[in-house]
Amino acid sequence: MPSKPIAEERPPGVPSAAWAYPIGLAPQKFSHKSEHVSYPMIDDGPFQGLPLGGFGAGSIGRTYRGDFARWHLDVGRHRYEPIPACQFSAFMDDGEHKIAQVLWTEAPRGVLSAWRWRYPVGAGTYYALFPRAWFDYRWEEFPVHLTMRHFSPVIPHNYRETSYPVGVFVWRAENPVSRPVKVGVMFTWQNLIGRGWDRDFIGGHYNYARSEELDTGRMVGVVLTRGGEPVTEEWDGSFAIAALEVPGVEVSFRTRFRANGDGAEVWDDFAADGALENVDDRMPSRMGEVIA
């Protein structure tokens, strides 16, 4: 059942022209293109979202349910499939109440059973106006008002940076109460390098931590890659996820957990205090093991 909607107040910077819809709410009516044309067309259903990725670089779509599901990283190849380990999760502790929650309104089957799934449908609003989208989380279990804006570097008359395969997520937490609240956001990502969407995981994937000093602060992140032969395919190479450490913000990491297990090692770590233990485990994956 949908959570009771809260009166909408658009977050700062959301244009009035942006499309708005309750987070995760299934539409009552939607059309199927295949019913109206005589040639095959992609029809993944109503749960979609703004694509992330530069022009010509492929894209990843995060749906308004909160999952990453639409994959166009290999030119000419399309795939719609939520990857359970690719998620944002939130932690909050106001001294009286502590909560950790995956920010997806659904739940996977058979994997990551230790995680707290099913963010309430309708507890907030999704907005989109290319090249930006916003998640405005409004749930009575969250002591703070949490928002996220995401975009890719689509810049007018600039085809160099606009072609970069980059997605940016900007988080904002507003505390409406007088007591302090600790807030943590966790971004998890499966090592998808060389996968090609088959189910035969041959192993050899590994992840490692990396940090870099910038003018604006310290960038801390994880590189996801694999060993073996030189890169020749679009799906090969590496992913990187990173966050900026600035005054008042601490960035922590755990470079490896099993994505086709129960996920307890990373979830218990995060749910305890909203941070991770800075574990840099570079062990390659074994045959049949999926790591994130």
Side-chain angles (χ1 to χ4, degrees):
M1 294 292 292
S3 173
K4 183 179 179 181
I6 299 175
E8 179 189 344
E9 252 184 62
R10 295 202 169 200
V14 178
S16 60
W19 182 76
Y21 203 74
I23 293 173
L25 183 64
Q28 299 302 308
K29 295 181 179 180
F30 59 94
S31 63
H32 290 274
K33 298 184 183 69
S34 57
E35 297 175 357
H36 309 293
V37 297
S38 58
Y39 50 86
M41 292 188 71
I42 294 171
D43 186 355
D44 295 321
F47 294 109
Q48 303 294 331
L50 192 87
L52 285 161
F55 284 6
S59 65
I60 302 170
R62 188 184 186 211
T63 84
Y64 71 88
R65 294 187 300 184
D67 55 324
F68 292 87
R70 203 167 194 265
W71 307 90
H72 277 285
L73 294 181
D74 189 349
V75 175
R77 183 183 246 178
H78 167 80
R79 183 78 176 193
Y80 186 94
E81 177 186 341
I83 304 295
C86 297
Q87 299 291 342
F88 279 106
S89 303
F91 168 92
M92 299 182 195
D93 183 359
D94 64 1
E96 298 179 2
H97 175 63
K98 182 166 69 172
I99 185 173
Q101 174 70 48
V102 181
L103 300 176
W104 181 28
T105 59
E106 300 296 315
R109 295 180 180 178
V111 297
L112 305 180
S113 57
W115 296 22
R116 177 172 176 168
W117 298 97
R118 299 194 184 279
Y119 180 80
V121 170
T125 307
Y126 174 83
Y127 302 92
L129 185 65
F130 187 83
R132 295 172 296 170
W134 297 258
F135 281 84
D136 183 20
Y137 298 100
R138 295 177 181 265
W139 185 27
E140 57 271 15
E141 291 294 314
F142 282 176
V144 305
H145 176 204
L146 191 66
T147 59
M148 187 273 284
R149 170 171 55 100
H150 72 76
F151 59 92
S152 293
V154 178
I155 306 167
H157 312 296
N158 180 329
Y159 293 103
R160 180 180 177 181
E161 279 78 8
T162 296
S163 73
Y164 287 177
V166 171
V168 180
F169 305 90
V170 180
W171 289 87
R172 178 183 175 89
E174 296 179 83
N175 183 5
V177 299
S178 58
R179 59 185 180 274
V181 180
K182 182 178 182 179
V183 177
V185 173
M186 181 169 69
F187 187 30
T188 51
W189 199 257
Q190 183 172 311
N191 189 324
L192 299 166
I193 300 305
R195 181 182 180 210
W197 297 109
D198 59 33
R199 296 298 178 183
D200 183 17
F201 295 98
I202 61 175
H205 295 75
Y206 64 98
N207 310 326
Y208 62 91
R210 180 175 173 179
S211 64
E212 185 174 341
E213 296 294 337
L214 306 176
D215 292 339
T216 50
R218 179 171 172 255
M219 185 71 75
V220 181
V222 176
V223 177
L224 302 88
T225 188
R226 73 183 184 102
E229 300 173 355
V231 173
T232 59
E233 304 294 335
E234 286 91 341
W235 267 101
D236 217 339
S238 62
F239 280 93
I241 60 176
L244 190 64
E245 196 167 65
V246 295
V249 175
E250 297 179 3
V251 181
S252 55
F253 58 86
R254 180 180 284 268
T255 61
R256 191 185 197 280
F257 68 92
R258 183 163 182 163
N260 56 346
D262 65 6
E265 67 269 41
V266 66
W267 188 257
D268 292 349
D269 188 358
F270 175 67
D273 58 3
L276 299 174
E277 293 297 327
N278 290 335
V279 177
D280 189 6
D281 183 350
R282 306 187 180 199
M283 179 182 294
S285 62
R286 301 182 300 274
M287 180 76 72
E289 183 183 34
V290 184
I291 64 171

